[in-house]
Amino acid sequence: MDLFKPMDSKPEGSSNNKPEPAVSEHVKCLILGSGPAGYTAAIYAARANMKPVMYTGMQLGGQLTTTTEVDNFPGYPEGIDGPTMMEDLKKQAERFGTQVRFGMATKVDFSGRVKRVEIDERTLIEADAVILATGATAKYLGLESEEKFKGFGVSACATCDGFFYRDKVVAVVGGGDTAAEEATYLAGLCKKIYLIVRRDELRASKAMQKRVFNTPNIEVLWKHQTKELLGEQVVTAVELYKNKGEAGEEVVKLDIDGFFLAIGHTPNSEVFKEYLETDNAGYVMTIPGTSKTNVPGIFACGDLQDKVYRQAVTAAGTGCMAALDAERYLGELE
Ligand code: NDP
């Protein structure tokens, strides 16, 4: 792979090939991603004198920065809000010498012993070990109208955007814990919530289901699927299929002001897939009981490799594992 030629080497072929970035730095331990997994890996790696450099990704602090109250992270008896918790983790990682930088991995070459990671298409970092903690991203339905109204009535984060829909009518799509949580959160702000569920049952935990059923301004629309969003500048209504594909299928229209997606997440593994084994949903595979991937020197932690637990505390735990595995790996190289 010739992706990472130094600046002064001439690109082959067409003259409009972009010059590849020059190697700007060699680091011992590179961490990609700044959620609880990345920061925990950074704390351990820095304390073990691995001089970690972290690139945060576009969402500094990861998914937890879109959460209000975190009540289930051990050590916070009164709970803590997501952004504050992530800021604290950042400070803790920096206190031991982690260099935290804003930037996103745009290309990688994991073929050699020295790993190469291009950041923002312009900086090339070489690393002896790389810890991947790039997390997962919310899924969308894939409708044209959904794309058109992103930020104009369509959101994948109730806790980020719910504020804008105070006393309004909104719809939440999904039947899992996220949908249940977002619907109950929005119920505290909005006049009315339609929960659009494609089957005749929720996937959410029994406790979350109970909360949904006990919230008077949430109406569950069973066996409904989104057809299209309507509106001019902003969303004003949604068309839904009821009983799609069955006798009695019909299209219903609801007037709404906001439309929230809560249908799961996609792991952010696209840029690494050429080198790493992933499952069919794209989650990076690790050797059970470790953070080791199929490539020596590449370690994965957090939601990037976990589709089962996906909690801040489990992400932090696997971040710790990744730093310890990387430390051992580096020790064996010396
Ligand atoms: P899940 O994968 O659990 O649920 C996704 C939901 O969206 C399902 O109900 C699914 O329907 C529905 N869905 C998927 N695609 C579509 C589509 N195209 N159209 C309509 N509906 C669709 O994702 P979550 O984000 O809810 O949860 C992920 C994990 O995180 C879970 O393990 C969950 O328990 C955990 N979690 C825990 C929380 C907590 O403990 N406080 C809070 C939030 C999440 P169907 O059921 O028919 O497949």
Side-chain angles (χ1 to χ4, degrees):
M1 191 178 185
D2 61 352
L3 293 173
F4 300 110
K5 288 179 178 169
M7 286 284 236
D8 52 7
S9 69
K10 291 273 178 273
E12 287 158 21
S14 101
S15 56
N16 57 10
N17 275 355
K18 257 194 322 182
E20 299 298 344
V23 175
S24 62
E25 202 175 348
H26 184 105
V27 303
K28 223 172 173 181
C29 176
L30 178 67
I31 300 172
L32 302 177
S34 56
Y39 281 131
T40 306
I43 292 163
Y44 274 77
R47 284 170 56 83
N49 206 23
M50 289 154 71
K51 301 185 172 45
V53 169
M54 171 191 282
Y55 280 92
T56 60
M58 295 311 284
Q59 192 175 12
L60 183 61
Q63 289 182 79
L64 269 193
T65 54
T66 63
T67 309
T68 44
E69 205 63 14
V70 179
D71 274 334
N72 52 10
F73 200 91
Y76 295 100
E78 306 306 323
I80 184 163
D81 68 276
T84 305
M85 183 178 152
M86 298 319 298
E87 194 50 40
D88 284 350
L89 279 171
K90 178 170 178 276
K91 282 186 200 148
Q92 195 174 352
E94 285 176 332
R95 187 180 137 214
F96 298 110
T98 306
Q99 286 188 44
V100 179
R101 303 174 186 168
F102 187 76
M104 174 114 180
T106 40
K107 204 182 270 180
V108 300
D109 180 355
F110 291 162
S111 59
R113 190 196 67 71
V114 173
K115 317 302 177 201
R116 302 178 140 214
V117 176
E118 185 191 85
I119 305 291
D120 296 335
E121 297 181 344
R122 55 188 145 80
T123 305
L124 177 56
I125 306 287
E126 286 188 342
D128 293 323
V130 182
I131 295 177
L132 306 177
T134 51
T137 302
K139 279 187 193 162
Y140 285 80
L141 294 167
L143 303 172
E144 228 172 83
S145 54
E146 178 190 54
E147 195 58 38
K148 172 179 161 194
F149 291 120
K150 258 186 204 170
F152 298 92
V154 170
S155 166
C157 178
T159 45
C160 320
D161 300 326
F163 178 81
F164 303 113
Y165 299 92
R166 281 161 108 172
D167 300 322
K168 301 211 162 161
V169 178
V170 301
V172 175
V173 189
D177 280 321
T178 304
E181 203 168 75
E182 303 228 326
T184 45
Y185 172 77
L186 289 166
L189 292 169
C190 306
K191 188 159 74 186
K192 164 108 187 173
I193 320 295
Y194 293 108
L195 183 58
I196 303 168
V197 181
R198 68 178 172 185
R199 292 187 294 137
D200 56 1
E201 60 179 343
L202 296 176
R203 182 184 292 272
S205 62
K206 291 286 176 241
M208 285 307 296
Q209 293 196 24
K210 204 167 152 196
R211 281 183 68 189
V212 167
F213 300 144
N214 288 340
T215 305
N217 58 341
I218 299 178
E219 181 180 340
V220 183
L221 301 175
W222 302 108
K223 296 181 80 171
H224 280 67
Q225 291 186 50
T226 311
K227 179 170 182 279
E228 218 57 73
L229 293 161
L230 307 176
E232 290 292 326
Q233 305 297 321
V234 295
V235 172
T236 52
V238 60
E239 275 187 333
L240 304 169
Y241 292 111
K242 185 178 176 187
N243 301 319
K244 195 174 180 197
E246 294 175 19
E249 175 182 313
E250 58 178 306
V251 175
V252 291
K253 185 179 156 200
L254 300 173
D255 291 335
I256 56 165
D257 303 292
F259 183 80
F260 288 87
L261 281 306
I263 58 168
H265 291 81
T266 308
N268 298 320
S269 59
E270 202 50 45
V271 79
F272 320 121
K273 263 185 173 168
E274 186 184 341
Y275 296 94
L276 300 186
E277 276 174 24
T278 56
D279 70 6
N280 48 16
Y283 287 89
V284 171
M285 310 283 283
T286 49
I287 296 170
T290 77
S291 66
K292 295 176 191 170
T293 67
N294 58 303
V295 177
I298 306 292
F299 305 90
C301 53
D303 286 12
L304 176 69
Q305 53 81 58
D306 172 20
K307 63 176 173 190
V308 179
Y309 301 103
R310 298 190 259 207
Q311 299 300 300
V313 68
T314 51
T318 57
C320 161
M321 288 164 66
L324 295 179
D325 287 341
E327 187 189 359
R328 264 175 224 137
Y329 169 81
L330 292 174
E332 283 161 16
L333 284 184
E334 282 163 7

